Structure formats: structure tokens, C-alpha cells
């Protein structure tokens, strides 16, 4: 159909029964996104390399399936108002890139914004939501990240619901990733609008810092973001996830230990796992973190329950996450600067998850302790657990029945 015909068809087809595509993102989405490493410094060649590396590194097989082109890729609107792609970055066009992504068994994510301009100053969807959703669908988009820069005080529920409806009208299932930084408490209203919503401002590649960008806005380290999540756990579930932002595993000043902790904690949170490192330069030990299938299985567990903190004594935090079939994940996390001793007496514990309404009684049900980083069974709940955890490290276990 010609583009003018599309506009006429759109005019006659809009109905008031739009909804979100309901059977998507039943586990937290996994993929790779341009922004954390490249911001605006990417082009089609770099992206094709990333596609190839996602496949050849084994990340695709481990579950990473969305290649997400974040901000800085749109070109001017054409004479009928349709979005075009920045020809300098994508000389072969978006359709060709999309075909390449799909030919590798991956899915395409694109980015737009609810204002007239994106955060990077590129053209975005305000006033063109339905037309843009059609264009995204024609390009074969499977995932839309929708940002909130330059939103000029418009109503967030309205703006995000409009784009949700537009995606539905475009008739191509797309995961709808809402990115308004938690400003409008999307967890309270967006379960029927998006599949995931950012809960905070942007992450930055440090373990424990805030980057104030010279007073302009804040980006947050892994710890700062992690500490904002627990109160939101009751809002997450299959098809509607809290999104504590993309992974900084292997990036910036994070040590390998901190990257491992970051990845483990995101899994305990049932967070989307969207890596943001340069896959061309990924060291083997970073790849090992990103592809640890046993940790990924905690994140991707089909019960979809976000974990909770059971205790914090000095610098040692203990987190639990119920899993399907009665297993549990348990994460000891040492956020302090010195090694922490773990002396965990199972018999003294009564763990109750007041969101999932599940109880854990080790005197009634014994478990095998499976260490997800050494990938070995290290004992049972029959004996006291004694361990030492290095600064900023984790001991993450699957309690197996
Ligand atoms: C905002 C978002 C980021 C990223 C940038 C792109 O800051 O929160 O995740 O998409 O815009 O400019």
C-alpha cells in the first residue's frame, strides 16, 4: 500500500478497543542497547557488528534477543509526515537493517520519545504517534522504548496510553518499554499500558556514585538504583516489569566483582537484562557473567516475582526470591569495603514473602544449596552455612528441593 493510502486506512480503522499486546514479555526482556556505550556515536556498520557478536559470543543462545537502537537515529519527516531514518547512520535504511537483525534470529528494538524531540534532539513522536507506530511496524520493529524528554508538562498517562493504542492499531506486537524515569509513578497505573517501565533516572557505569552532570541532572550508580527498587516489588509481574535501567556489566569503573554483583542483583530483582557494553571488546570474564545461565534462570523464572530483602546487618544484605516449583534464590550481598562473614543458621529462619504469600521453613523442608557462580552444590540447609564474602561481592544460591 502506498503511504497516502496508509493514512486513509488509519483514519477509518482507529477503534476505541485498543490495548497493549498482552502475551509479550512474560519474563523480563533481554537484549542489547546502543546507549550505555555509544550514546550517539554509532552507525549501521557498528550495529551489524553488534548483531554478529551477540550471536557468535553465545549471548543470543543465553537469551539476549532484542537489538535496541536507542536515541539518535531518526531523520526528517517526509512530505506526508512519515518518519525517516538518519541516512548518514543508516545508508542502507532501517528496513535493510531490520532484515539483517531478523535474519540472525534476533528482534529489533527502536526508540522514540513522547515529546517533539528526543533527549538527543532528534525528531520524535508527539502528534505523530499513530503514523510513527505504523512506520515502526513497517520497519519490522518488535520493541519500542519511549522516552520522556521535552515532554513539556503533557500528561504521562495520556501520552503513554496514546502510544500503546497506536502500537495496537499498527497491528504488530511490540514490547512497549516506558522510560519516564519513574516521575509519574508508572508502577501505579501502567500495568495495562506498558510491558516495562523505568523506575529511576539513568544508570551510570560506577558501583556507588551519583553523576550530577554539572548540576543539570543526576545519573546513578548501581547501588543508588538498587536501593530505589525494593518498595516497588509488589507492582512487578509477568508482562509488566519494574525496569531499574540497563546493565553496566563490563563498563566504566565497575570491577569484575562489582559487575558480577550488579548482574546477580538485577536477576534477584527480576529486572530486564539489557546489556550495554561494547561486544566487540568484551573480555571473556565479562561474557561469562552475562551468559551465566543459572543466574539468568533466576531472573527469567516464570513465576516472575521480584525478590525482597530479608535482612541487612552492617554491610551484609540477604535477599530472597521465590521460584517456580518451590525452589528459591538466595543472595548474600556484601556492600561494605571489608570482607564479610556469613554464619547462617537455617533452623532459626522463618522466611515469609508477603507479596507472593509464600513461606519458607527449613525445619520442615530441607534444600540443597547450589552456588550459581561456582556452579556447584555446596551443602544443604541441614548444616549452618559458613562463608566469607569479599567487598562488593555476592554469594548467590539456588535452594533446590
Ligand atoms: C534518556 C533515557 C536513556 C537514553 C537517553 C537517550 O536519558 O533515560 O535511557 O535513552 O535518554 O538520549
Amino acid at each position: 500500500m502506498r503511504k497516502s493510502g496508509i493514512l486513509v486506512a488509519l483514519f477509518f480503522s482507529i477503534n476505541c478497543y485498543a490495548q497493549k499486546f498482552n502475551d509479550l514479555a512474560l519474563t523480563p526482556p533481554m537484549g542489547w542497547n546502543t546507549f550505555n556505550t555509544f550514546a550517539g556515536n554509532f552507525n549501521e556498520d557498528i550495529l551489524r557488528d553488534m548483531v554478529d557478536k551477540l550471536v557468535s559470543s553465545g549471548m543470543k543462545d543465553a537469551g539476549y534477543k532484542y537489538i535496541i537502537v536507542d536515541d539518535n537515529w531518526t531523520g526528517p519527516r517526509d512530505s506526508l509526515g512519515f518518519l525517516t531514518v538518519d541516512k548518514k547512520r543508516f545508508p542502507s535504511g532501517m528496513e535493510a537493517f531490520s532484515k539483517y537483525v531478523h535474519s540472525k534470529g534476533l528482534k529489533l528494538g527502536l526508540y522514540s520519545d513522547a515529546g517533539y524531540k528526543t533527549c538527543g534532539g532528534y525528531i520524535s513522536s508527539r502528534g505523530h504517534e499513530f503514523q510513527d507506530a505504523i512506520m515502526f511496524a513497517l520497519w519490522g520493529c518488535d520493541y519500542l522504548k519511549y522516552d520522556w524528554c521535552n515532554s513539556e508538562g503533557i500528561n504521562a498517562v495520556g501520552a503513554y496510553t496514546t502510544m500503546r493504542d497506536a502500537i495496537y492499531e499498527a497491528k504488530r506486537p511490540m514490547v512497549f518499554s516506558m522510560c519516564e524515569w519513574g516521575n509519574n509513578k508508572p508502577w501505579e497505573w501502567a500495568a495495562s499500558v506498558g510491558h516495562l517501565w523505568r523506575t529511576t533516572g539513568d544508570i551510570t557505569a560506577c558501583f556507588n556514585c551519583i553523576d550530577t552532570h554539572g548540576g543539570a541532572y543526576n545519573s546513578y550508580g548501581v547501588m543508588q538504583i538498587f536501593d530505589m527498587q525494593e518498595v516497588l516489588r509488589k507492582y512487578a509481574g509477568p508482562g509488566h516489569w519494574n525496569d531499574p535501567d540497563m546493565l553496566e556489566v563490563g563498563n566504566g569503573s565497575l570491577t569484575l566483582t562489582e559487575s558480577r554483583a550488579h548482574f546477580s542483583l538485577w536477576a534477584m530483582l527480576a529486572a530486564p537484562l539489557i546489556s550495554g557494553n561494547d561486544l566487540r571488546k568484551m573480555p571473556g570474564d565479562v561474557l561469562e557473567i552475562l551468559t551465566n545461565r543459572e543466574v539468568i534462570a533466576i531472573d527469567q523464572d516464570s513465576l516472575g516475582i521480584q525478590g525482597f530483602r530479608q535482612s541487612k546487618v552492617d554491610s551484609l544484605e540477604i535477599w530472597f526470591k521465590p521460584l517456580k516449583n518451590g525452589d528459591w534464590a538466595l543472595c548474600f550481598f556484601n556492600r561494605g569495603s571489608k570482607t564479610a562473614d556469613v554464619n547462617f543458621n537455617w533452623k532459626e529462619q522463618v522466611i515469609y514473602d508477603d507479596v507472593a504469600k509464600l513461606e519458607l521453613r527449613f525445619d520442615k523442608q530441607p534444600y540443597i544449596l547450589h552456588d550459581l557462580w561456582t556452579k556447584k552444590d555446596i551443602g544443604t540447609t541441614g548444616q549452618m552455612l559458613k562463608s566469607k564474602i569479599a567487598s562488593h561481592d555476592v554469594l548467590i544460591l539456588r535452594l533446590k528441593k
Side-chain angles (χ1 to χ4, degrees), residues 81-360:
F82 283 95
L83 210 50
T84 66
V85 66
D86 179 351
K87 274 274 156 30
K88 283 200 208 86
R89 286 179 204 278
F90 287 89
S92 334
M94 188 52 88
E95 207 175 338
F97 178 65
S98 170
K99 278 199 177 121
Y100 190 68
V101 169
H102 289 117
S103 75
K104 302 286 173 178
L106 295 169
K107 290 182 176 287
L108 177 69
L110 294 176
Y111 162 103
S112 190
D113 184 291
Y116 293 117
K117 294 238 163 107
T118 69
C119 303
Y122 281 68
I123 291 183
S124 55
S125 295
R126 184 162 174 193
H128 287 266
E129 293 85 353
F130 284 75
Q131 199 176 11
D132 286 359
I134 287 180
M135 206 58 227
F136 299 147
L138 288 173
W139 278 325
C141 175
D142 307 294
Y143 180 115
L144 180 68
K145 173 172 172 181
Y146 204 50
D147 214 336
W148 194 233
C149 277
N150 307 307
S151 50
E152 296 173 358
I154 56 174
N155 177 283
V157 180
Y160 280 93
T161 306
T162 300
M163 190 41 112
R164 173 204 72 177
D165 292 355
I167 292 171
Y168 195 74
E169 287 298 339
K171 300 185 176 54
R172 183 176 171 92
M174 291 178 214
V175 171
F176 189 32
S177 161
M178 300 171 46
C179 180
E180 55 70 80
W181 318 306
N183 288 4
N184 301 277
K185 299 196 166 103
W187 42 88
E188 288 180 354
W189 50 267
S192 62
V193 179
H195 299 95
L196 59 159
W197 49 78
R198 282 275 298 279
T199 54
T200 67
D202 288 0
I203 197 167
T204 189
C206 68
F207 197 65
N208 185 8
C209 78
I210 295 180
D211 182 350
T212 60
H213 299 273
Y217 65 98
N218 288 348
S219 304
Y220 303 98
V222 170
M223 281 301 85
Q224 281 68 26
I225 295 218
F226 181 62
D227 287 341
M228 295 184 232
Q229 305 309 313
E230 206 208 348
V231 290
L232 304 178
R233 69 179 294 256
K234 69 175 179 193
Y235 299 103
H240 50 96
W241 307 101
N242 289 318
D243 176 6
D245 208 358
M246 300 174 283
L247 296 166
E248 294 284 16
V249 170
N251 285 349
S253 63
L254 266 77
T255 64
L256 202 61
T257 302
E258 290 169 344
S259 279
R260 183 169 54 218
H262 172 26
F263 195 67
S264 307
L265 296 174
W266 261 228
M268 291 301 286
L269 293 174
L273 298 179
I274 310 291
S275 71
N277 54 327
D278 187 342
L279 304 179
R280 297 167 306 180
K281 301 180 188 154
M282 172 167 49
D285 37 23
V286 170
L287 174 65
E288 244 177 73
I289 293 175
L290 288 169
T291 54
N292 182 323
R293 287 170 190 248
E294 299 192 5
V295 176
I296 291 173
I298 301 302
D299 179 79
Q300 295 288 302
D301 184 82
S302 61
L303 271 190
I305 297 171
Q306 182 171 326
F308 62 96
R309 186 168 67 190
Q310 184 247 347
S311 71
K312 178 173 189 295
V313 177
D314 300 327
S315 67
L316 188 68
E317 297 195 8
I318 303 181
W319 285 71
F320 281 86
K321 179 182 195 292
L323 306 173
K324 71 168 181 225
N325 301 333
D327 284 5
W328 287 68
L330 165 53
C331 184
F332 296 89
F333 167 46
N334 175 11
R335 59 193 299 155
S337 55
K338 297 193 188 105
T339 298
D341 289 311
V342 170
N343 293 296
F344 198 68
N345 190 347
W346 304 96
K347 297 272 152 49
E348 286 171 2
Q349 313 291 329
V350 177
I351 313 296
Y352 184 64
D353 178 346
D354 59 356
V355 168
K357 312 279 181 242
L358 289 169
E359 193 183 48
L360 193 49

Side-chain angles (χ1 to χ4, degrees), residues 30 51-66 101-107 279 287 291 293:
M30 292 177 67
V51 168
D52 293 347
K53 289 287 180 308
L54 204 72
V55 176
S56 65
S57 64
M59 284 180 69
K60 176 192 159 200
D61 287 344
Y64 297 83
K65 65 177 178 189
Y66 293 100
V101 169
H102 289 117
S103 75
K104 302 286 173 178
L106 295 169
K107 290 182 176 287
L279 304 179
L287 174 65
T291 54
R293 287 170 190 248

